[in-house]
Amino acid sequence: MLDELLGRVSRYTPHTLETDRSFPEAAVLLPVTRSAQPELILTLRASGLSTHGGEVAFPGGRRDPEDPDLVFTALREAEEEIGLPPGLVEVIGPLSPLISLHGIRVTPYVGLVPDYVEYLANDAEIAAVFSVPLEFFRQDPREHTHRIDYQGRSWYVPSYRFGVYKIWGLTAIMIVELMNLLYDDVNISLHTPPERSTPI
């Protein structure tokens, strides 16, 4: 079942991102556990960081000049942030790139990881590492919806609450794309307003 779902990622053609200027690049890894009940691995960023401090995110970061490609960037950052050895990651494919509020072009990569990994958070960057079952997001149990107006278009982005963690923003957009791709019975729209939304 998991291999069938991830086959969809490997055959997927991400949306292109047309912009009139170049942006600094970054990459994140969406680690999915190889298990009967697959889970997504997420992080809580340390509160003292200059960008996105105290927010939930996928492991990842800015591309270094010596990084040969963005897959390398995602794997390098995942090892630095949560102690995930690159050799344990089977990179399946990319999702659509996004521009962050800080003007960085972020490319997500879906990767398969064993379910026995013991993650070691880099205290300077990461406050916690946690996992969320894919089935949780499949139900779209949003706490509320943020309306984000960007380049003349409105995005209606769900905000999820899993235990003490609030999952929203770019991270939630990536999760929605993954859920829509993996499951035929999921159709979460980011461009149609729900009954209630919260402008930000």
Side-chain angles (χ1 to χ4, degrees):
M1 180 65 175
L2 181 59
D3 288 334
E4 176 187 342
L5 295 178
L6 292 172
R8 297 185 178 203
V9 178
S10 65
R11 296 187 298 270
Y12 181 58
T13 301
H15 305 296
T16 57
L17 185 64
E18 301 296 336
T19 62
D20 56 1
R21 65 186 182 95
S22 60
F23 291 89
E25 289 188 300
V28 299
L29 182 68
L30 279 63
V32 178
T33 62
R34 181 180 283 282
S35 53
Q37 301 295 326
E39 298 182 329
L40 268 175
I41 306 301
L42 292 131
T43 71
L44 178 66
R45 292 172 59 81
S47 59
L49 294 175
S50 58
T51 58
H52 305 292
E55 294 181 10
V56 167
F58 290 108
R62 293 278 289 265
R63 180 177 183 173
D64 285 347
E66 59 270 22
D67 290 352
D69 55 36
L70 287 170
V71 171
F72 184 94
T73 300
L75 295 175
R76 175 182 56 76
E77 287 283 343
E79 184 174 31
E80 292 176 3
E81 290 184 353
I82 63 173
L84 176 60
L88 291 183
V89 183
E90 179 187 350
V91 177
I92 306 299
L95 299 180
S96 304
L98 298 163
I99 302 297
S100 77
L101 293 176
H102 296 280
I104 299 171
R105 180 190 175 105
V106 183
T107 301
Y109 289 91
V110 179
L112 199 58
V113 298
D115 61 358
Y116 57 76
V117 178
E118 293 187 14
Y119 297 100
L120 181 63
N122 179 341
D123 292 340
E125 299 181 58
I126 304 298
V129 182
F130 65 101
S131 60
V132 182
L134 290 182
E135 281 293 330
F136 173 82
F137 296 113
R138 186 177 182 177
Q139 308 304 319
D140 189 24
R142 67 183 69 196
E143 188 174 50
H144 55 264
T145 304
H146 289 134
R147 191 189 78 221
I148 302 173
D149 297 321
Y150 179 71
Q151 291 189 336
R153 190 175 192 185
S154 293
W155 295 66
Y156 297 91
V157 183
S159 176
Y160 300 110
R161 174 74 60 177
F162 186 78
V164 299
Y165 302 108
K166 178 183 177 181
I167 304 166
W168 65 292
L170 246 60
T171 301
I173 293 174
M174 295 171 189
I175 290 171
V176 166
E177 184 176 13
L178 181 62
M179 292 298 101
N180 286 338
L181 175 58
L182 291 183
Y183 299 108
D184 290 333
D185 61 349
V186 175
N187 184 23
I188 305 170
S189 174
L190 291 171
H191 300 295
T192 301
E195 293 182 3
R196 292 188 305 167
S197 61
T198 306
I200 64 170

